[in-house]
Amino acid sequence: MNDSGSSSTAGASPSPANTAPVEHATEVRLSQLLTLGTSISAAVILLGLAIYLWRHASERLDFTAFRTHDTELNAPSTILTMALSLNGIAVMQLGVLLLVLTPIARVAFTLVIFLVRRDWLYVAIAAVVLVVLSLGLVGFRLH
Amino acid sequence: MTAGLLVTLLFGSALVAGFAGALTGLGGGVVLIPIMVLLFGIDLRYAVGASLIAVIATSSGAAAAFIKEGYTNVRVGVLLEVATVLGAIAGAVIAAYVSKDLIAVVFSCALFWSAYTTLRPLKPLPPDTHPDRVSQYFRLDSEYPTKSPDGTPMMTAYRVHAVPGALAIMLGAGVLSALVGIGSGIVKVFAMDRLMRLPFKVSTTTSNFMIGVTAAASAGVYLQRGQIEPAIAAPIAVGALGGSLVGARVLPRIKTLWLRRLFAVLVICAGVELLRRVIQGGM
C-alpha cells in the first residue's frame, strides 16, 4: 500500500497519525477554493439583490402558481448577457449559477489534488463523479 | 406580498435552515420547503428548486470550515459520492416503473425509525479494533478534533468499518433522492454513523461535504425547467450561506448528544413533509 505525496521514507504501517498531516495540508486548499467560490457568488447575488430591490422592492410578487413559459433565465448564455447589462434579476441568477458551479469546481480540484499525489485509485473515483456531474449540469435528461 | 418583504422573509428562513443544515449535514431543505410552501404560499416546484440552491450554499459554506478544522473525512466523502451519483441515475431510470407514493410512505416510516435510533448512540468501538480490509485499501481511517477530559483540544484517531455495506446503502440513497427528492443526506449520515461507525461529527460534516455535489448534479435540469426562480433562490442562497457559517462556528462547541437531538428533529420534519406530499398529491 503506497503512502501519499512527498514522503517516500515512511516505512511504518499507514496509521492515521502518519498520513493525516500531509493530507490535511492539501485539503486546506479545497477549503480555500470553497471559500473563494462562495464569496464570489455571494457578492454577485448581493449586487443583484441590491439592483433588483432598488427598482422593485414595493412590487407585488406571486409565486403561488408555476409559470412554465417564463424561461428566459434558464440558459447560462442568456443569464450572462442580461447580467452584463446590470439587469438585477439576471445578476442574481448569475450569482446562483456561480454557486452551483462551486461544488463542481471542488470535485475537479479534488481530482487535481489526487493527480498531483499520484493517487490513481482516487483519481479514478473523482473522475467518475466529475463525469456524472458534468452530464447533470449540461442538462442530461435523467427523467 | 411585496418583493422587499418576501426577500427579507426568505433570507431569514434560509438563515435558520443553513444553520441547522450545516450542523446536521442535511442541508436544511427539509426545513425550508415546508416554510416556503405552507407559510409563504410558494409553488412546490419553485420551493424545491430554491431548496436545492440552499443545500449547495450550506454545503459549500460550512465545508470550508469543517475541512480546515479536520472534521470532514474527504476520502470517505469522495468514495461515497460515486455510489450516490450512480444511484441517482439508477433511480431516474426506474422512476417510471415504480409507485412513488408507496416508496414515499415506506421511506417516511424508515425516517421515523431512524430518528428514534439516532437518539440511542452505539457504543464507540475500542481504538485497537482490528482494521477493516476494505477501509485499509481505500485508506479511510483518519482522526478528528475532540477535547481531552481537561478541555484541551486534541485529535482522536478512528477506524472506518463496513465500507461495502455503506456503498450499497449510498446507492440506495441516490435512488431514493432521485425518486422522492428528499432525505439523501439523512441516509448518508445514518450509514456513516450506524454502519461505518464514524464519530457523529465526522458523519454530519462528511455528509455536508457530499450533499452539495449531489444537489449540483441535478441543478442543471432544474434550471432548464425554470424551477430556479432568482427572486426566491437569491435571498435563500445568501441566507443559507450566512447560516451555514454560523453553524460551522457552533459545531466544535456543541455536545454530540444535542447534535443527535437536532438531527432527529429534522429527520421527523422530513418524514412529515414526505407524508404531506403524498396526501396532497405532490410527489
Tab-separated table of all heavy atoms in Angstrom, chain A residues 52-89:
chain	number	residue	atom	x	y	z
A	52	TYR	N	-32.035	44.885	-7.875
A	52	TYR	CA	-33.426	44.450	-8.003
A	52	TYR	C	-34.327	45.188	-7.010
A	52	TYR	O	-35.374	45.719	-7.381
A	52	TYR	CB	-33.490	42.938	-7.792
A	52	TYR	CG	-34.888	42.381	-7.745
A	52	TYR	CD1	-35.690	42.364	-8.890
A	52	TYR	CD2	-35.413	41.863	-6.561
A	52	TYR	CE1	-36.977	41.860	-8.848
A	52	TYR	CE2	-36.698	41.352	-6.514
A	52	TYR	CZ	-37.474	41.359	-7.656
A	52	TYR	OH	-38.738	40.864	-7.614
A	53	LEU	N	-33.898	45.218	-5.741
A	53	LEU	CA	-34.741	45.831	-4.715
A	53	LEU	C	-34.818	47.347	-4.884
A	53	LEU	O	-35.816	47.980	-4.562
A	53	LEU	CB	-34.229	45.478	-3.314
A	53	LEU	CG	-34.454	44.016	-2.902
A	53	LEU	CD1	-33.883	43.750	-1.521
A	53	LEU	CD2	-35.934	43.648	-2.939
A	54	TRP	N	-33.752	47.941	-5.403
A	54	TRP	CA	-33.720	49.380	-5.678
A	54	TRP	C	-34.885	49.774	-6.577
A	54	TRP	O	-35.515	50.791	-6.398
A	54	TRP	CB	-32.382	49.723	-6.345
A	54	TRP	CG	-32.219	51.147	-6.748
A	54	TRP	CD1	-32.376	51.668	-8.001
A	54	TRP	CD2	-31.851	52.247	-5.912
A	54	TRP	NE1	-32.133	53.016	-7.997
A	54	TRP	CE2	-31.801	53.395	-6.723
A	54	TRP	CE3	-31.546	52.364	-4.545
A	54	TRP	CZ2	-31.466	54.655	-6.227
A	54	TRP	CZ3	-31.221	53.616	-4.053
A	54	TRP	CH2	-31.180	54.739	-4.888
A	55	ARG	N	-35.182	48.894	-7.556
A	55	ARG	CA	-36.225	49.229	-8.530
A	55	ARG	C	-37.577	48.599	-8.212
A	55	ARG	O	-38.606	49.152	-8.535
A	55	ARG	CB	-35.787	48.760	-9.925
A	55	ARG	CG	-34.662	49.622	-10.445
A	55	ARG	CD	-34.176	49.179	-11.800
A	55	ARG	NE	-32.956	49.908	-12.128
A	55	ARG	CZ	-32.046	49.468	-12.958
A	55	ARG	NH1	-32.208	48.308	-13.548
A	55	ARG	NH2	-30.972	50.176	-13.202
A	56	HIS	N	-37.543	47.412	-7.584
A	56	HIS	CA	-38.798	46.653	-7.497
A	56	HIS	C	-39.243	46.307	-6.076
A	56	HIS	O	-40.123	45.466	-5.904
A	56	HIS	CB	-38.663	45.337	-8.273
A	56	HIS	CG	-38.244	45.511	-9.688
A	56	HIS	ND1	-39.108	45.926	-10.678
A	56	HIS	CD2	-37.043	45.343	-10.302
A	56	HIS	CE1	-38.465	45.997	-11.824
A	56	HIS	NE2	-37.202	45.653	-11.626
A	57	ALA	N	-38.646	46.923	-5.044
A	57	ALA	CA	-38.907	46.491	-3.668
A	57	ALA	C	-40.393	46.493	-3.312
A	57	ALA	O	-40.855	45.640	-2.557
A	57	ALA	CB	-38.134	47.357	-2.680
A	58	SER	N	-41.162	47.446	-3.865
A	58	SER	CA	-42.563	47.525	-3.453
A	58	SER	C	-43.498	46.829	-4.437
A	58	SER	O	-44.718	46.882	-4.296
A	58	SER	CB	-42.962	48.989	-3.288
A	58	SER	OG	-42.618	49.687	-4.460
A	59	GLU	N	-42.911	46.190	-5.456
A	59	GLU	CA	-43.706	45.465	-6.444
A	59	GLU	C	-44.308	44.210	-5.815
A	59	GLU	O	-43.692	43.589	-4.962
A	59	GLU	CB	-42.771	45.052	-7.588
A	59	GLU	CG	-43.424	44.920	-8.930
A	59	GLU	CD	-42.341	44.811	-10.007
A	59	GLU	OE1	-41.897	43.690	-10.252
A	59	GLU	OE2	-41.951	45.865	-10.548
A	60	ARG	N	-45.508	43.834	-6.244
A	60	ARG	CA	-46.129	42.624	-5.693
A	60	ARG	C	-45.627	41.384	-6.433
A	60	ARG	O	-45.554	41.369	-7.652
A	60	ARG	CB	-47.652	42.698	-5.808
A	60	ARG	CG	-48.236	43.858	-5.054
A	60	ARG	CD	-49.578	43.504	-4.418
A	60	ARG	NE	-49.778	44.298	-3.212
A	60	ARG	CZ	-49.571	43.833	-1.986
A	60	ARG	NH1	-49.191	42.584	-1.800
A	60	ARG	NH2	-49.748	44.600	-0.936
A	61	LEU	N	-45.277	40.355	-5.660
A	61	LEU	CA	-44.804	39.115	-6.271
A	61	LEU	C	-45.795	38.001	-5.956
A	61	LEU	O	-46.370	37.961	-4.870
A	61	LEU	CB	-43.430	38.725	-5.716
A	61	LEU	CG	-42.237	39.550	-6.184
A	61	LEU	CD1	-40.953	39.001	-5.589
A	61	LEU	CD2	-42.153	39.550	-7.703
A	62	ASP	N	-45.976	37.114	-6.910
A	62	ASP	CA	-46.884	35.998	-6.692
A	62	ASP	C	-46.285	34.720	-7.285
A	62	ASP	O	-46.131	34.599	-8.500
A	62	ASP	CB	-48.233	36.302	-7.349
A	62	ASP	CG	-49.221	35.156	-7.132
A	62	ASP	OD1	-49.020	34.389	-6.161
A	62	ASP	OD2	-50.172	35.040	-7.927
A	63	PHE	N	-45.905	33.810	-6.396
A	63	PHE	CA	-45.326	32.550	-6.874
A	63	PHE	C	-46.213	31.365	-6.521
A	63	PHE	O	-45.741	30.249	-6.357
A	63	PHE	CB	-43.926	32.352	-6.282
A	63	PHE	CG	-42.930	33.355	-6.791
A	63	PHE	CD1	-42.357	34.281	-5.932
A	63	PHE	CD2	-42.579	33.376	-8.123
A	63	PHE	CE1	-41.441	35.208	-6.394
A	63	PHE	CE2	-41.666	34.305	-8.602
A	63	PHE	CZ	-41.097	35.226	-7.732
A	64	THR	N	-47.527	31.628	-6.374
A	64	THR	CA	-48.426	30.533	-5.990
A	64	THR	C	-48.636	29.545	-7.138
A	64	THR	O	-49.012	28.414	-6.912
A	64	THR	CB	-49.803	31.078	-5.550
A	64	THR	OG1	-50.242	32.000	-6.547
A	64	THR	CG2	-49.717	31.777	-4.203
A	65	ALA	N	-48.386	30.013	-8.355
A	65	ALA	CA	-48.515	29.097	-9.490
A	65	ALA	C	-47.198	29.069	-10.257
A	65	ALA	O	-46.512	30.081	-10.358
A	65	ALA	CB	-49.639	29.542	-10.400
A	66	PHE	N	-46.871	27.894	-10.791
A	66	PHE	CA	-45.635	27.725	-11.533
A	66	PHE	C	-45.851	28.164	-12.981
A	66	PHE	O	-46.815	27.753	-13.622
A	66	PHE	CB	-45.227	26.253	-11.461
A	66	PHE	CG	-43.901	25.970	-12.102
A	66	PHE	CD1	-42.733	26.435	-11.531
A	66	PHE	CD2	-43.822	25.222	-13.269
A	66	PHE	CE1	-41.504	26.171	-12.116
A	66	PHE	CE2	-42.592	24.951	-13.855
A	66	PHE	CZ	-41.440	25.425	-13.271
A	67	ARG	N	-44.968	29.039	-13.472
A	67	ARG	CA	-45.108	29.525	-14.850
A	67	ARG	C	-44.097	28.831	-15.743
A	67	ARG	O	-42.908	29.122	-15.688
A	67	ARG	CB	-44.900	31.031	-14.902
A	67	ARG	CG	-45.972	31.822	-14.157
A	67	ARG	CD	-45.744	33.303	-14.305
A	67	ARG	NE	-44.425	33.691	-13.826
A	67	ARG	CZ	-44.176	34.053	-12.566
A	67	ARG	NH1	-45.144	34.058	-11.684
A	67	ARG	NH2	-42.964	34.386	-12.193
A	68	THR	N	-44.578	27.913	-16.566
A	68	THR	CA	-43.673	27.109	-17.387
A	68	THR	C	-43.022	27.894	-18.511
A	68	THR	O	-41.969	27.548	-18.984
A	68	THR	CB	-44.408	25.906	-18.016
A	68	THR	OG1	-45.788	26.223	-18.089
A	68	THR	CG2	-44.169	24.661	-17.206
A	69	HIS	N	-43.673	28.988	-18.942
A	69	HIS	CA	-43.134	29.669	-20.122
A	69	HIS	C	-42.149	30.774	-19.775
A	69	HIS	O	-41.580	31.401	-20.647
A	69	HIS	CB	-44.288	30.217	-20.966
A	69	HIS	CG	-45.166	29.121	-21.472
A	69	HIS	ND1	-44.719	28.185	-22.377
A	69	HIS	CD2	-46.433	28.771	-21.152
A	69	HIS	CE1	-45.683	27.317	-22.611
A	69	HIS	NE2	-46.730	27.638	-21.872
A	70	ASP	N	-41.956	30.976	-18.501
A	70	ASP	CA	-41.070	32.031	-18.040
A	70	ASP	C	-39.626	31.521	-18.067
A	70	ASP	O	-39.012	31.308	-17.051
A	70	ASP	CB	-41.484	32.401	-16.618
A	70	ASP	CG	-40.882	33.716	-16.194
A	70	ASP	OD1	-40.293	34.375	-17.051
A	70	ASP	OD2	-41.012	34.054	-15.009
A	71	THR	N	-39.089	31.324	-19.279
A	71	THR	CA	-37.855	30.549	-19.370
A	71	THR	C	-36.646	31.337	-19.842
A	71	THR	O	-35.625	30.756	-20.153
A	71	THR	CB	-38.044	29.362	-20.333
A	71	THR	OG1	-38.529	29.881	-21.563
A	71	THR	CG2	-38.997	28.352	-19.771
A	72	GLU	N	-36.746	32.669	-19.906
A	72	GLU	CA	-35.607	33.383	-20.495
A	72	GLU	C	-34.326	33.288	-19.646
A	72	GLU	O	-33.232	33.414	-20.170
A	72	GLU	CB	-35.966	34.849	-20.729
A	72	GLU	CG	-36.443	35.571	-19.479
A	72	GLU	CD	-36.773	37.025	-19.762
A	72	GLU	OE1	-36.730	37.421	-20.947
A	72	GLU	OE2	-37.048	37.747	-18.817
A	73	LEU	N	-34.483	33.014	-18.333
A	73	LEU	CA	-33.294	32.952	-17.477
A	73	LEU	C	-32.851	31.518	-17.195
A	73	LEU	O	-32.271	31.230	-16.159
A	73	LEU	CB	-33.559	33.687	-16.165
A	73	LEU	CG	-33.416	35.207	-16.264
A	73	LEU	CD1	-33.936	35.870	-15.025
A	73	LEU	CD2	-31.958	35.582	-16.502
A	74	ASN	N	-33.143	30.616	-18.111
A	74	ASN	CA	-32.832	29.213	-17.862
A	74	ASN	C	-31.556	28.747	-18.549
A	74	ASN	O	-31.080	27.661	-18.283
A	74	ASN	CB	-34.001	28.330	-18.299
A	74	ASN	CG	-35.258	28.682	-17.534
A	74	ASN	OD1	-35.200	29.441	-16.563
A	74	ASN	ND2	-36.374	28.167	-17.970
A	75	ALA	N	-31.003	29.551	-19.415
A	75	ALA	CA	-29.787	29.151	-20.115
A	75	ALA	C	-28.628	30.051	-19.677
A	75	ALA	O	-28.789	31.271	-19.605
A	75	ALA	CB	-29.994	29.259	-21.617
A	76	PRO	N	-27.474	29.459	-19.389
A	76	PRO	CA	-26.331	30.240	-18.900
A	76	PRO	C	-25.951	31.408	-19.806
A	76	PRO	O	-25.603	32.482	-19.313
A	76	PRO	CB	-25.212	29.197	-18.837
A	76	PRO	CG	-25.918	27.910	-18.612
A	76	PRO	CD	-27.223	28.027	-19.349
A	77	SER	N	-26.046	31.216	-21.136
A	77	SER	CA	-25.609	32.287	-22.040
A	77	SER	C	-26.514	33.512	-21.927
A	77	SER	O	-26.030	34.654	-21.885
A	77	SER	CB	-25.589	31.776	-23.486
A	77	SER	OG	-26.824	31.177	-23.798
A	78	THR	N	-27.842	33.308	-21.880
A	78	THR	CA	-28.750	34.463	-21.731
A	78	THR	C	-28.571	35.117	-20.374
A	78	THR	O	-28.637	36.341	-20.251
A	78	THR	CB	-30.237	34.055	-21.873
A	78	THR	OG1	-30.374	32.699	-21.533
A	78	THR	CG2	-30.751	34.329	-23.246
A	79	ILE	N	-28.337	34.298	-19.328
A	79	ILE	CA	-28.125	34.866	-17.993
A	79	ILE	C	-26.947	35.831	-18.038
A	79	ILE	O	-27.005	36.948	-17.531
A	79	ILE	CB	-27.860	33.748	-16.957
A	79	ILE	CG1	-29.107	32.875	-16.776
A	79	ILE	CG2	-27.433	34.337	-15.620
A	79	ILE	CD1	-28.884	31.638	-15.936
A	80	LEU	N	-25.869	35.387	-18.699
A	80	LEU	CA	-24.650	36.196	-18.734
A	80	LEU	C	-24.856	37.504	-19.489
A	80	LEU	O	-24.496	38.580	-18.993
A	80	LEU	CB	-23.514	35.377	-19.369
A	80	LEU	CG	-22.122	35.956	-19.171
A	80	LEU	CD1	-21.738	35.963	-17.698
A	80	LEU	CD2	-21.091	35.153	-19.965
A	81	THR	N	-25.471	37.441	-20.692
A	81	THR	CA	-25.657	38.671	-21.465
A	81	THR	C	-26.567	39.658	-20.738
A	81	THR	O	-26.295	40.858	-20.707
A	81	THR	CB	-26.249	38.386	-22.875
A	81	THR	OG1	-27.051	37.217	-22.799
A	81	THR	CG2	-25.171	38.224	-23.896
A	82	MET	N	-27.637	39.123	-20.115
A	82	MET	CA	-28.545	40.021	-19.397
A	82	MET	C	-27.886	40.593	-18.134
A	82	MET	O	-28.122	41.743	-17.775
A	82	MET	CB	-29.838	39.303	-19.026
A	82	MET	CG	-30.766	39.080	-20.210
A	82	MET	SD	-32.187	38.060	-19.753
A	82	MET	CE	-33.112	39.245	-18.766
A	83	ALA	N	-27.063	39.782	-17.490
A	83	ALA	CA	-26.402	40.244	-16.264
A	83	ALA	C	-25.423	41.368	-16.574
A	83	ALA	O	-25.255	42.302	-15.795
A	83	ALA	CB	-25.689	39.093	-15.580
A	84	LEU	N	-24.766	41.273	-17.751
A	84	LEU	CA	-23.780	42.291	-18.117
A	84	LEU	C	-24.442	43.641	-18.348
A	84	LEU	O	-23.800	44.687	-18.232
A	84	LEU	CB	-23.000	41.850	-19.361
A	84	LEU	CG	-21.989	40.724	-19.080
A	84	LEU	CD1	-21.315	40.261	-20.357
A	84	LEU	CD2	-20.942	41.166	-18.053
A	85	SER	N	-25.745	43.648	-18.668
A	85	SER	CA	-26.439	44.933	-18.786
A	85	SER	C	-27.054	45.340	-17.450
A	85	SER	O	-27.939	46.195	-17.396
A	85	SER	CB	-27.516	44.845	-19.877
A	85	SER	OG	-28.454	43.847	-19.533
A	86	LEU	N	-26.583	44.696	-16.372
A	86	LEU	CA	-26.966	45.015	-14.990
A	86	LEU	C	-28.465	44.909	-14.726
A	86	LEU	O	-29.016	45.660	-13.930
A	86	LEU	CB	-26.445	46.399	-14.582
A	86	LEU	CG	-24.916	46.471	-14.377
A	86	LEU	CD1	-24.519	47.837	-13.870
A	86	LEU	CD2	-24.430	45.400	-13.417
A	87	ASN	N	-29.085	43.922	-15.368
A	87	ASN	CA	-30.455	43.564	-15.027
A	87	ASN	C	-30.404	42.829	-13.674
A	87	ASN	O	-29.738	41.800	-13.546
A	87	ASN	CB	-30.997	42.659	-16.152
A	87	ASN	CG	-32.357	42.078	-15.823
A	87	ASN	OD1	-32.587	41.586	-14.717
A	87	ASN	ND2	-33.246	42.116	-16.788
A	88	GLY	N	-31.080	43.388	-12.654
A	88	GLY	CA	-30.970	42.848	-11.295
A	88	GLY	C	-31.248	41.361	-11.199
A	88	GLY	O	-30.487	40.603	-10.607
A	89	ILE	N	-32.370	40.938	-11.802
A	89	ILE	CA	-32.761	39.525	-11.765
A	89	ILE	C	-31.673	38.645	-12.380
A	89	ILE	O	-31.316	37.599	-11.825
A	89	ILE	CB	-34.098	39.333	-12.542
A	89	ILE	CG1	-35.269	39.877	-11.722
A	89	ILE	CG2	-34.324	37.897	-12.887
A	89	ILE	CD1	-35.886	38.869	-10.778
